[in-house]
Short mmCIF file of all heavy atoms in Angstrom, two decimals:
data_model
loop_
_atom_site.label_atom_id
_atom_site.label_comp_id
_atom_site.label_asym_id
_atom_site.label_seq_id
_atom_site.Cartn_x
_atom_site.Cartn_y
_atom_site.Cartn_z
N ILE L 1 111.10 -18.79 58.64
CA ILE L 1 111.42 -19.54 57.42
C ILE L 1 112.35 -18.65 56.63
O ILE L 1 112.40 -17.47 56.78
CB ILE L 1 110.20 -19.92 56.59
CG1 ILE L 1 109.36 -18.66 56.17
CG2 ILE L 1 109.28 -20.88 57.38
CD1 ILE L 1 108.23 -18.95 55.22
N ASP L 2 113.12 -19.30 55.68
CA ASP L 2 113.90 -18.49 54.76
C ASP L 2 113.19 -18.40 53.39
O ASP L 2 112.06 -18.95 53.24
CB ASP L 2 115.31 -19.00 54.65
CG ASP L 2 115.45 -20.39 54.02
OD1 ASP L 2 114.53 -20.81 53.28
OD2 ASP L 2 116.37 -21.16 54.40
N LEU L 3 113.85 -17.76 52.44
CA LEU L 3 113.17 -17.56 51.14
C LEU L 3 113.00 -18.82 50.44
O LEU L 3 111.96 -19.01 49.71
CB LEU L 3 114.03 -16.51 50.32
CG LEU L 3 113.33 -15.86 49.14
CD1 LEU L 3 112.12 -15.11 49.57
CD2 LEU L 3 114.30 -14.94 48.44
N ALA L 4 114.03 -19.74 50.44
CA ALA L 4 113.82 -20.99 49.71
C ALA L 4 112.62 -21.83 50.27
O ALA L 4 111.93 -22.45 49.58
CB ALA L 4 115.15 -21.78 49.78
N GLU L 5 112.52 -21.79 51.63
CA GLU L 5 111.38 -22.50 52.21
C GLU L 5 110.01 -21.88 51.87
O GLU L 5 109.07 -22.60 51.63
CB GLU L 5 111.60 -22.53 53.76
CG GLU L 5 112.69 -23.40 54.21
CD GLU L 5 113.06 -23.27 55.71
OE1 GLU L 5 113.06 -22.09 56.16
OE2 GLU L 5 113.22 -24.24 56.37
N ALA L 6 110.04 -20.52 51.76
CA ALA L 6 108.75 -19.87 51.38
C ALA L 6 108.38 -20.17 49.95
O ALA L 6 107.19 -20.38 49.61
CB ALA L 6 108.95 -18.31 51.49
N GLU L 7 109.44 -20.31 49.09
CA GLU L 7 109.12 -20.75 47.68
C GLU L 7 108.61 -22.11 47.65
O GLU L 7 107.68 -22.42 46.86
CB GLU L 7 110.39 -20.61 46.85
CG GLU L 7 110.77 -19.15 46.57
CD GLU L 7 112.06 -19.00 45.82
OE1 GLU L 7 113.09 -19.57 46.33
OE2 GLU L 7 112.15 -18.27 44.77
N GLY L 8 109.10 -23.01 48.47
CA GLY L 8 108.65 -24.34 48.56
C GLY L 8 107.17 -24.36 49.05
O GLY L 8 106.35 -25.16 48.55
N LEU L 9 106.87 -23.50 49.98
CA LEU L 9 105.49 -23.50 50.55
C LEU L 9 104.51 -22.98 49.43
O LEU L 9 103.41 -23.47 49.32
CB LEU L 9 105.47 -22.55 51.73
CG LEU L 9 104.16 -22.34 52.44
CD1 LEU L 9 103.52 -23.76 52.89
CD2 LEU L 9 104.27 -21.47 53.66
N ALA L 10 104.96 -21.95 48.67
CA ALA L 10 104.12 -21.46 47.59
C ALA L 10 103.88 -22.56 46.57
O ALA L 10 102.75 -22.74 46.13
CB ALA L 10 104.78 -20.33 46.89
N ASP L 11 104.85 -23.36 46.26
CA ASP L 11 104.63 -24.54 45.36
C ASP L 11 103.70 -25.58 45.98
O ASP L 11 102.95 -26.20 45.24
CB ASP L 11 106.02 -25.14 45.00
CG ASP L 11 106.90 -24.26 44.15
OD1 ASP L 11 106.37 -23.30 43.50
OD2 ASP L 11 108.14 -24.43 44.03
N LEU L 12 103.87 -25.73 47.23
CA LEU L 12 103.00 -26.76 47.89
C LEU L 12 101.51 -26.37 47.83
O LEU L 12 100.63 -27.17 47.59
CB LEU L 12 103.44 -26.90 49.38
CG LEU L 12 102.67 -27.99 50.17
CD1 LEU L 12 102.87 -29.34 49.59
CD2 LEU L 12 103.20 -28.00 51.62
N LEU L 13 101.29 -25.08 48.02
CA LEU L 13 99.88 -24.60 47.92
C LEU L 13 99.35 -24.73 46.54
O LEU L 13 98.07 -24.93 46.42
CB LEU L 13 99.81 -23.09 48.33
CG LEU L 13 100.11 -22.80 49.83
CD1 LEU L 13 100.21 -21.35 50.06
CD2 LEU L 13 99.12 -23.47 50.76
N SER L 14 100.16 -24.72 45.53
CA SER L 14 99.63 -24.80 44.15
C SER L 14 99.83 -26.19 43.57
O SER L 14 99.40 -26.42 42.45
CB SER L 14 100.40 -23.81 43.22
OG SER L 14 101.78 -24.06 43.21
N ALA L 15 100.35 -27.15 44.30
CA ALA L 15 100.61 -28.48 43.83
C ALA L 15 99.26 -29.15 43.53
O ALA L 15 98.26 -29.16 44.29
CB ALA L 15 101.34 -29.29 44.88
N GLU L 16 99.20 -29.82 42.34
CA GLU L 16 98.02 -30.55 41.97
C GLU L 16 98.31 -32.02 41.68
O GLU L 16 97.35 -32.83 41.48
CB GLU L 16 97.43 -29.91 40.66
CG GLU L 16 96.91 -28.50 40.91
CD GLU L 16 96.31 -27.88 39.68
OE1 GLU L 16 96.32 -28.52 38.57
OE2 GLU L 16 95.78 -26.75 39.75
N THR L 17 99.51 -32.43 41.69
CA THR L 17 99.91 -33.87 41.45
C THR L 17 100.76 -34.34 42.53
O THR L 17 101.39 -33.50 43.27
CB THR L 17 100.57 -34.02 40.11
OG1 THR L 17 101.84 -33.42 40.16
CG2 THR L 17 99.76 -33.48 38.94
N GLU L 18 100.88 -35.60 42.73
CA GLU L 18 101.74 -36.21 43.75
C GLU L 18 103.18 -35.87 43.57
O GLU L 18 103.87 -35.59 44.54
CB GLU L 18 101.57 -37.75 43.76
CG GLU L 18 102.35 -38.50 44.79
CD GLU L 18 102.01 -38.08 46.22
OE1 GLU L 18 101.01 -37.45 46.45
OE2 GLU L 18 102.82 -38.47 47.10
N ILE L 19 103.63 -35.80 42.31
CA ILE L 19 105.06 -35.51 42.16
C ILE L 19 105.35 -34.01 42.45
O ILE L 19 106.43 -33.71 43.00
CB ILE L 19 105.43 -35.84 40.59
CG1 ILE L 19 106.99 -35.74 40.48
CG2 ILE L 19 104.78 -34.92 39.65
CD1 ILE L 19 107.43 -36.19 39.12
N GLN L 20 104.40 -33.12 42.20
CA GLN L 20 104.60 -31.73 42.59
C GLN L 20 104.55 -31.61 44.11
O GLN L 20 105.30 -30.86 44.71
CB GLN L 20 103.45 -30.90 41.94
CG GLN L 20 103.51 -30.75 40.57
CD GLN L 20 102.27 -30.00 39.93
OE1 GLN L 20 101.22 -30.25 40.42
NE2 GLN L 20 102.50 -29.27 38.89
N ARG L 21 103.61 -32.37 44.80
CA ARG L 21 103.54 -32.30 46.25
C ARG L 21 104.84 -32.70 46.90
O ARG L 21 105.39 -32.07 47.83
CB ARG L 21 102.42 -33.14 46.72
CG ARG L 21 102.18 -33.14 48.24
CD ARG L 21 101.24 -34.23 48.72
NE ARG L 21 101.88 -35.54 48.55
CZ ARG L 21 102.74 -36.02 49.41
NH1 ARG L 21 103.18 -35.36 50.47
NH2 ARG L 21 103.19 -37.23 49.18
N ARG L 22 105.41 -33.82 46.45
CA ARG L 22 106.68 -34.39 47.02
C ARG L 22 107.80 -33.42 46.87
O ARG L 22 108.62 -33.23 47.86
CB ARG L 22 107.05 -35.70 46.42
CG ARG L 22 106.13 -36.80 46.89
CD ARG L 22 106.53 -38.22 46.40
NE ARG L 22 106.53 -38.24 44.98
CZ ARG L 22 106.68 -39.33 44.22
NH1 ARG L 22 106.72 -40.52 44.84
NH2 ARG L 22 106.69 -39.33 42.91
N ALA L 23 107.93 -32.84 45.67
CA ALA L 23 109.04 -31.84 45.51
C ALA L 23 108.86 -30.59 46.40
O ALA L 23 109.76 -30.05 46.97
CB ALA L 23 109.10 -31.43 44.02
N ALA L 24 107.63 -30.12 46.43
CA ALA L 24 107.37 -28.92 47.27
C ALA L 24 107.57 -29.22 48.68
O ALA L 24 108.09 -28.32 49.46
CB ALA L 24 105.85 -28.42 46.99
N ILE L 25 107.19 -30.32 49.19
CA ILE L 25 107.38 -30.68 50.58
C ILE L 25 108.84 -30.62 50.98
O ILE L 25 109.25 -30.14 52.06
CB ILE L 25 106.82 -32.11 50.91
CG1 ILE L 25 105.28 -32.04 51.08
CG2 ILE L 25 107.43 -32.71 52.15
CD1 ILE L 25 104.79 -31.47 52.39
N ALA L 26 109.66 -31.22 50.05
CA ALA L 26 111.19 -31.21 50.33
C ALA L 26 111.65 -29.74 50.43
O ALA L 26 112.43 -29.46 51.42
CB ALA L 26 111.90 -31.92 49.18
N ASN L 27 111.30 -28.86 49.57
CA ASN L 27 111.80 -27.48 49.68
C ASN L 27 111.18 -26.69 50.83
O ASN L 27 111.87 -25.90 51.52
CB ASN L 27 111.60 -26.75 48.32
CG ASN L 27 112.61 -27.06 47.34
OD1 ASN L 27 113.73 -27.54 47.71
ND2 ASN L 27 112.39 -26.70 46.03
N ALA L 28 109.88 -26.93 51.07
CA ALA L 28 109.18 -26.28 52.23
C ALA L 28 109.83 -26.75 53.54
O ALA L 28 109.87 -26.01 54.49
CB ALA L 28 107.74 -26.55 52.12
N GLY L 29 110.29 -28.02 53.50
CA GLY L 29 110.94 -28.53 54.78
C GLY L 29 112.41 -28.18 54.89
O GLY L 29 113.04 -28.57 55.82
N GLY L 30 112.96 -27.35 53.96
CA GLY L 30 114.33 -26.83 54.14
C GLY L 30 115.41 -27.64 53.47
O GLY L 30 116.58 -27.46 53.76
N ALA L 31 115.06 -28.53 52.51
CA ALA L 31 116.08 -29.32 51.82
C ALA L 31 117.07 -28.44 51.05
O ALA L 31 118.28 -28.61 51.24
CB ALA L 31 115.40 -30.35 50.87
N LEU L 32 116.55 -27.56 50.28
CA LEU L 32 117.47 -26.66 49.54
C LEU L 32 118.23 -25.73 50.47
O LEU L 32 119.43 -25.43 50.35
CB LEU L 32 116.70 -25.78 48.53
CG LEU L 32 117.46 -24.78 47.76
CD1 LEU L 32 118.63 -25.39 46.99
CD2 LEU L 32 116.61 -24.02 46.79
N SER L 33 117.57 -25.28 51.53
CA SER L 33 118.19 -24.30 52.49
C SER L 33 119.35 -24.99 53.21
O SER L 33 120.46 -24.43 53.35
CB SER L 33 117.16 -23.92 53.55
OG SER L 33 116.04 -23.16 52.91
N ARG L 34 119.17 -26.31 53.52
CA ARG L 34 120.27 -27.05 54.25
C ARG L 34 121.46 -27.19 53.16
O ARG L 34 122.64 -27.15 53.61
CB ARG L 34 119.77 -28.42 54.70
CG ARG L 34 118.85 -28.29 55.88
CD ARG L 34 118.53 -29.62 56.51
NE ARG L 34 117.70 -30.45 55.60
CZ ARG L 34 116.41 -30.43 55.58
NH1 ARG L 34 115.70 -29.65 56.39
NH2 ARG L 34 115.75 -31.22 54.71
N LYS L 35 121.19 -27.42 51.93
CA LYS L 35 122.17 -27.59 50.87
C LYS L 35 122.95 -26.30 50.75
O LYS L 35 124.23 -26.27 50.78
CB LYS L 35 121.55 -27.96 49.62
CG LYS L 35 122.57 -28.39 48.55
CD LYS L 35 123.24 -29.68 48.86
CE LYS L 35 124.09 -30.20 47.67
NZ LYS L 35 124.73 -31.47 47.99
N VAL L 36 122.30 -25.18 50.77
CA VAL L 36 122.85 -23.87 50.55
C VAL L 36 123.67 -23.49 51.82
O VAL L 36 124.80 -22.99 51.67
CB VAL L 36 121.80 -22.79 50.31
CG1 VAL L 36 122.43 -21.39 50.30
CG2 VAL L 36 121.12 -23.04 49.02
N ASP L 37 123.17 -23.86 52.97
CA ASP L 37 123.95 -23.59 54.21
C ASP L 37 125.29 -24.36 54.20
O ASP L 37 126.26 -23.85 54.61
CB ASP L 37 123.13 -23.93 55.48
CG ASP L 37 121.98 -23.00 55.76
OD1 ASP L 37 122.03 -21.80 55.19
OD2 ASP L 37 121.06 -23.33 56.49
N GLY L 38 125.23 -25.59 53.67
CA GLY L 38 126.44 -26.40 53.54
C GLY L 38 127.43 -25.72 52.62
O GLY L 38 128.66 -25.70 52.93
#
């Protein structure tokens, strides 16, 4: 994993609401990483 995915995973572990979970899933799944790679 890269650093952005690791940050997303940390947010996912601490997520307490549905909106937090969805945002964390996106980053843990590499959404930001793909954007940065582009």
